[in-house]
Amino acid sequence: MVAVTSGMLVVFALVVVTMALFVTEAAPPDVTAIGVIVALVVLEPWTRVDLQTGLSGFSSAATITVLSMYALSEGVRQTGAIRVLGDAVASFTNGSESRLLAAVVGLTGPIAGVVNNTPVVAVFVPMVSDLADQANVSPSKLLIPLSYASMLGGTLTLVGTATNLVASEAYAEATGLPPFSMFTFTPLGAVVFVVGAGYLLTVAPRLLPERIEPGNRTGNYGVEPFLARVLVPARSPLVGIPAGEVSDDTYRDLNVDILDVLRGGEHFIAADSDREVESRDILTIRGDPATIRRFCDLADLRFLPRASVTDAELDRPERVALVELVVPRESGLVGETIGGARLRERYDATVLAVRRRGGDLIREHFRDVELQVGDSLLLQTTNETARYLRDSGDFVVTSEVADEFIEDNGGLSPTSFRAFAVIAAVIGLAALGVVPIAIAALGGVAAMVTLGCLSASDAYGAVSWNVIFLLAGVIPLGRALQLTGGVALISELVGVAATYLPVVVVLAAFYLLTGLLANVITPVASVVLMLPVAIDTAFGLGADPFGFALAVTFGGSTAFMTPIGYQTNLMVYGPGGYRFADYLRVGAPLQLLLTAVTTGGIVLLWGV
């Protein structure tokens, strides 16, 4: 019997506190992870984690590889290669919902197997939303399948997700055996993907609601009552005032915004122009209906009651863009108010509505609205600014934006083939064992920059540093569990219970428990905590530790049941208009199905 020590209790307490912070998001996960490093080293007499061990997460091969894969994925994204697929998909689907869904699932999964799935989904969300509008299909029917397909595709290769890389290193450390190779679990990943894809194509469409009406962003955000068209008479005091300064001048307290100006046949966006208002101009105004009426009285404007404002008036490809954004976890604007972020002044963008993660809509008094992770914003700006916002890292743009790097003939830029060659070289060198995956990935980043596929600043900017710090924090926490004997104690307790169960049931239990944890404390953290326990339990039962390691690895990739479990789930939350229960309704059956499929696959392919 493993004796309980004070060191174990201290580390267990840190694990509990860390999990509570992850679940409640009282602090950002990366900040929590940094706090874990500090606590582990400060409490070294109990945790046995010295400075070198505490910082080992930063030098981990998994961390370096994940960092490099973000940059490599950005290099592929910037070539426009993935986006060009939109034209091919549109031709294939021809307005058919079933074909569109099949194309989304069939393309996303394999691509996510070799390119980090988060940027893949970031590129696909606007493309899928646009194709859904063209086919008159609700995006709600497609976006959760998009996220799930990317997660399933991540199980195809070692570099598909950060979870795989962390599991590979943890397995090698716990067993003394070589880490997973590039295609170690590809056979099982292929089975899981095929079964999951079948579920997404047949069962999921019946479970997914139509939360969003296709092709009607203003209607979906309930913005139409808050928009109006007014005519400027010659006597109006607005004549001669720059259009972009009207809402910042005398009428600031009314909380109205001038969106755009129609002058003859020409439209120009107010926030992006210093042109003065002229007699006979038609203004598009955003504000509370009663406030708009008051504004018309004060500014001597003529309200045009029959002039409804729709997407067509607000989204003109040649100049004006109606854009949807999602606030990701890594955004530097989380916690800042919209007024403090100065979106109108800095980005020539006017916020029309905000959809909260709970589904609540905010359509006025934006200046004091605090931006939260998962918020979805509808705003009007220019195409140039939309591209800048997409590349800034503070937002994920989930509506189509024209790209300058796609050639006029619909082909790819010359750098596309160089980027693909680099990715192929990285995978090939790692798969053949010529160099470790971390070195191959780092070399790939250097090649991308040297060959002009990616600038150095873009390479740094592409990295989700919150994920890197999360990895750096949870890796030494798992190490502390091993050093203090916590893993051995948990394994012994599990082993006692498992004595009365078949090994295959214990294997399935580890898969399911890891998946459930991944839904609330992130996949990486769940794998770091569960994999050493699973391997120790396997040794205690006389089973193959490789099979148990695979169960935990694949379980960490099945965070289907909540929007917060995985970044891609959060990215489609706002654009799909989803509610928390939608993920549970669609994700829970899939998670149970894959528990049986993965467990059976491990037994058939490798035995236990």
Side-chain angles (χ1 to χ4, degrees), residues 282-457:
I282 295 178
L283 311 180
T284 303
I285 302 176
R286 184 217 59 81
D288 177 84
T291 305
I292 289 176
R293 291 283 189 176
R294 185 180 171 203
F295 175 62
C296 290
D297 291 339
L298 291 173
D300 204 354
L301 303 171
R302 184 184 302 171
F303 185 75
L304 302 176
R306 297 182 183 274
S308 62
V309 183
T310 63
D311 287 14
E313 280 76 36
L314 295 176
D315 192 5
R316 296 177 174 270
E318 72 281 358
R319 182 63 180 148
V320 182
L322 191 61
V323 180
E324 289 180 271
L325 311 172
V326 171
V327 181
R329 275 199 176 94
E330 61 267 26
S331 174
L333 299 179
V334 173
E336 193 167 346
T337 64
I338 290 178
R342 302 179 70 242
L343 296 181
R344 188 175 175 92
E345 295 83 357
R346 291 166 60 186
Y347 303 113
D348 300 325
T350 303
V351 177
L352 304 181
V354 178
R355 180 186 282 117
R356 295 254 108 121
R357 265 172 33 191
D360 295 335
L361 287 170
I362 302 171
R363 289 160 294 190
E364 55 181 331
H365 303 294
F366 298 117
R367 291 188 182 92
D368 298 325
V369 173
E370 189 174 288
L371 292 170
Q372 300 176 5
V373 174
D375 279 352
S376 184
L377 282 69
L378 180 68
L379 53 83
Q380 186 196 42
T381 185
T382 63
N383 280 315
E384 293 81 5
T385 297
R387 284 195 292 268
Y388 176 78
L389 287 169
R390 185 191 62 198
D391 297 335
S392 70
D394 285 327
F395 299 101
V396 175
V397 177
T398 59
S399 51
E400 279 285 9
V401 179
D403 279 305
E404 64 276 10
F405 47 70
I406 298 179
E407 296 180 349
D408 294 338
N409 61 7
L412 300 175
S413 65
T415 58
S416 300
F417 302 103
R418 295 199 291 270
F420 285 136
V422 170
I423 292 290
V426 169
I427 293 174
L429 291 172
L432 295 173
V434 177
V435 292
I437 178 63
I439 300 303
L442 279 175
V445 175
M448 282 271 193
V449 175
T450 302
L451 294 172
C453 304
L454 187 69
S455 69
S457 59

Side-chain angles (χ1 to χ4, degrees), residues 224-241:
E224 289 176 346
F226 292 80
L227 301 174
R229 282 274 174 90
V230 299
L231 177 69
V232 181
R235 62 181 179 275
S236 172
L238 296 188
V239 174
I241 297 178

Side-chain angles (χ1 to χ4, degrees), residues 68-80:
S68 301
M69 290 308 298
Y70 274 119
L72 291 172
S73 300
E74 176 65 9
V76 173
R77 187 198 71 78
Q78 287 201 9
T79 68

Side-chain angles (χ1 to χ4, degrees), residues 171-212:
Y171 170 75
E173 184 175 321
T175 63
L177 298 171
F180 302 148
S181 67
M182 180 65 69
F183 300 111
T184 293
F185 40 71
T186 299
L188 180 59
V191 172
V192 168
F193 176 73
V194 169
V195 173
Y199 173 90
L200 295 176
L201 295 176
T202 57
V203 178
R206 302 179 184 182
L207 301 176
L208 284 167
E210 294 186 3
R211 300 286 187 201
I212 295 291

